[in-house]
Amino acid sequence: MGNPRRQPNPERRNEWWTTLPSAGWLLVFFAVPTLLIVVMSFKPAGPYGGFGEGWSLKAWADMAHPSYPAIVWRTVWLSVAATIVCVGLGLPVGFLLGRADEKTRALLLLLVVVPFWTNFLIRVYAWKVLLHPSGYLRETLVGLGIIGENTLLLYNEGAVLLVMVYAYLPFAILPIYASAEKFDFALLDAARDLGASSIRAFWLVFVPGVGRGVLAAVVMVLIPALGSYIIPDIVGGPAGEMVGNKIAQRVFIDRNWPHAAALATLLMIVTLLPVIFAFVQQKRESVPDGSRKGGGKATA
Amino acid sequence: MSEFLVFDGVTKRFGDFVAVRDASFAIEKGEIFALLGPSGCGKTTLLRMLAGFIEPDEGRILIEGEDITRLPPERRPVNTVFQSYALFPHLTIRDNIGFGLKMAKRPKAEIDAEVDRMLDLVDLAEHGDKKPDRISGGQKQRVAIARALVNKPRVLLLDEPLAALDLKLRQRLLVELDGIHDEVGITFLYVTHDQTEAMAISDRIAVMQRGGLEQIGTPAEIYEAPVNSFVAAFIGDTNFLRGKVSEILDAEYSRATVESIGEIRLYNDRPLEMGEDIALSLRPEKIRIETHPPAEEAGLNAIEGTVDDVIYLGSLTRYWVRVGDQRIAIEKQHARYQLDERLPAWKDRVWLSWRADDGCLLTDFAVEDTELLSLPPEGDE
């Protein structure tokens, strides 16, 4: 095999042809609609909903609404917190899954995926029942004296965070597990052998070892978290509102499409930042060890 | 020499399988001690118990009198060179080597100096900033050794350190490893299934089979005086002669009738009884092969046979000679310019002779061990 750069052109052309259908699909059903949203944010609002003729910056000017910075900030910190907790829990679970024997692993993976068999909305509603002021969870906790008589579990940021972690945890576990499965656990023996406690070995060797999985987990949790709508809507109340709820309000209640479009564009920009970061990170990682694919770690 | 590292009645079971059975032996300070045996014999389990990855069910492990049986791996004064090297892929060679010192919280300047010294020792100074996937297998192996040695362990454990390398590299690294041992003077425990490796590098070898220790001794002792048919067949090649004692000559010599060979004279290092079943190991290079009857000599056994197979190997020729139902392997060294000499050839009548002292009386014989012997190529009748 020669230098891949010098490969003849026909192969590259074939590649283009095989990419075309998916590229076309993305263009028609993703790129164009996204662009339409961005364009819509520069239109004036129509008097009876929808949008009007001509161009306007009003929707963007409205972004300065005093309630927005708090909501954007809440959206970002709740999402980041949910991501940190999910990855934090996903790491030990991924570790156990990677170490488990075939049978246990299959069972554990099934348990991770089982919640998906129930409708998402129902599951979030179930949390509402659990956390409800007269729900048995709160009653029990109050009865045990763990929380005060006046503490509410529902309709606050804590409830949103809790349910987000619950909902997105599988998206952190699965990519970390995928990395852990390929991880060479002899490396942990080596770390222990060289004087690292099991906890240090975990942090210094296992976590970097599943770095790609962690990166994927961050992207898989952070992005849907930033766009959360159902969770804050059901368990958040006014105190737990996120950008997603505002967009919904603008579309369904105010019928102010340009305003909703501007909010959506703003959210998209916030969302793109971690993706760009992850992309750059992966590029940088794959440059020095580009030859990894062929022969990674030595096999025993 | 005191007992530096002691295994005292160490047993390990995995379910019903006994991986190591009542292993008791001592390793001396500064020696290279090999655990040798086929896969599944328990040698790696022993090593992992010493490293701390497996806890024995019974028995104790002591280093200089200190019981380390229950210590976690990170608190043991031993370091391991893993079979797969287990270099940390996200760290540079330097950081790999410095890992243990960093765990020991040594000052950075000291770590740098020690790592430099190690990089020099294993001749990798110019590769320090590379990641492990950018260096060759042999270099990885040396990094693994440096990473373990830098911590100045009291015992260095080597788990099949050369198994992943090709033959040429293996031979070179074996010499290097020996050189490193001379330089650092640390006790090595070397686990291998390769008898040539063990013979080449070790001061003493423990041969293991099915979780048990069969024999411990210097390479020469193990080769020349194997205690049983397994050791005899696993280390090098041999011929097994089985028969019954037919005559006691004196305290040290007797005669025995061997099936299809007849009466032979043998040296016995333990008293034998008339009619007792015996098994003898006779190494191929101890047997002389000639196309004429050997001159009469006291204590010489001579038998007649037909050449069945010949393999010329340059420095030596291997023969298999049929004597009745038995095939005897012989190695003839070519100490002289060989083309001037007519060698015994296929179908030749030949005489085999060996001294009674050159056979080794075995204490145990198991028929299945004959399967370990190298056999001539088939189908050239």
Side-chain angles (χ1 to χ4, degrees), chain B residues 11-37:
Chain B
T11 296
K12 179 68 197 178
R13 295 179 204 89
F14 296 110
D16 286 339
F17 177 71
V18 185
V20 174
R21 191 184 325 107
D22 194 23
S24 292
F25 60 99
I27 296 174
E28 284 168 14
K29 189 167 181 156
E31 76 175 335
I32 301 186
F33 190 92
L35 291 174
L36 172 65

Side-chain angles (χ1 to χ4, degrees), chain A:
Chain A
M1 276 295 193
N3 186 339
R5 276 164 208 273
R6 296 179 91 188
Q7 237 146 45
N9 261 341
E11 210 158 296
R12 294 224 94 170
R13 222 167 32 221
N14 279 343
E15 224 170 87
W16 274 108
W17 281 113
T18 49
T19 317
L20 206 60
S22 51
W25 180 277
L26 273 176
L27 186 76
V28 172
F29 296 107
F30 175 73
V32 171
T34 307
L35 205 66
L36 284 177
I37 297 280
V38 175
V39 169
M40 199 189 290
S41 73
F42 292 101
K43 291 276 183 184
Y48 307 108
F51 55 90
E53 295 287 308
W55 301 96
S56 162
L57 282 174
K58 181 164 189 311
W60 283 99
D62 287 346
M63 292 298 104
H65 191 279
S67 72
Y68 281 172
I71 288 177
V72 170
W73 168 240
R74 184 188 297 137
T75 304
V76 170
W77 91 253
L78 277 176
S79 305
V80 169
T83 307
I84 291 170
V85 175
C86 283
V87 171
L89 293 172
L91 277 168
V93 175
F95 176 87
L96 289 176
L97 281 168
R99 277 230 122 154
D101 61 88
E102 210 96 335
K103 251 175 137 177
T104 326
R105 179 186 290 179
L107 182 72
L108 291 176
L109 277 175
L110 188 71
L111 291 178
V112 171
V113 183
V114 149
F116 290 113
W117 292 354
T118 312
N119 181 283
F120 180 62
L121 203 57
I122 307 252
R123 282 186 285 141
V124 180
Y125 258 104
W127 273 102
K128 185 169 179 163
V129 172
L130 263 180
L131 299 173
H132 196 270
S134 49
Y136 68 85
L137 185 65
R138 198 185 89 94
E139 305 265 90
T140 313
L141 290 175
V142 171
L144 291 171
I146 293 170
I147 57 170
E149 197 63 55
N150 299 319
T151 314
L152 286 181
L153 299 177
L154 201 55
Y155 304 132
N156 54 36
E157 292 173 336
V160 177
L161 181 61
L162 177 68
V163 179
M164 278 213 284
V165 167
Y166 158 78
Y168 299 131
L169 190 55
F171 298 107
I173 291 174
L174 293 175
I176 292 174
Y177 155 68
S179 277
E181 200 198 8
K182 285 177 241 135
F183 179 76
D184 177 8
F185 281 91
L187 294 177
L188 289 178
D189 282 351
R192 295 291 299 280
D193 189 70
L194 292 165
S197 63
S198 45
I199 292 166
R200 290 190 92 185
F202 181 85
W203 282 108
L204 293 174
V205 176
F206 178 74
V207 173
V210 296
R212 278 151 192 264
V214 170
L215 210 61
V218 167
V219 171
M220 298 269 283
V221 174
L222 187 58
I223 290 175
L226 284 167
S228 291
Y229 154 62
I230 290 176
I231 295 170
D233 196 56
I234 295 176
V235 301
E241 265 189 332
M242 291 171 68
V243 175
N245 305 104
K246 282 290 161 205
I247 296 175
Q249 282 168 23
R250 296 296 165 255
V251 173
F252 297 129
I253 299 168
D254 306 351
R255 297 177 56 76
N256 184 341
W257 286 18
H259 193 112
L263 269 176
T265 309
L266 189 71
L267 185 61
M268 195 155 57
I269 292 167
V270 174
T271 311
L272 272 177
L273 289 176
V275 176
I276 291 167
F277 172 78
F279 186 73
V280 169
Q281 191 78 358
Q282 213 144 39
K283 263 264 145 99
R284 215 173 45 199
E285 226 174 81
S286 64
V287 167
D289 45 22
S291 64
R292 173 170 280 179
K293 261 181 200 156
K297 63 199 178 201
T299 43

Side-chain angles (χ1 to χ4, degrees), chain B residues 68-82:
Chain B
I68 61 159
T69 321
R70 312 279 162 206
L71 284 184
E74 63 268 26
R75 289 179 44 210
R76 297 190 181 208
V78 300
N79 287 110
T80 310
V81 176
F82 292 86

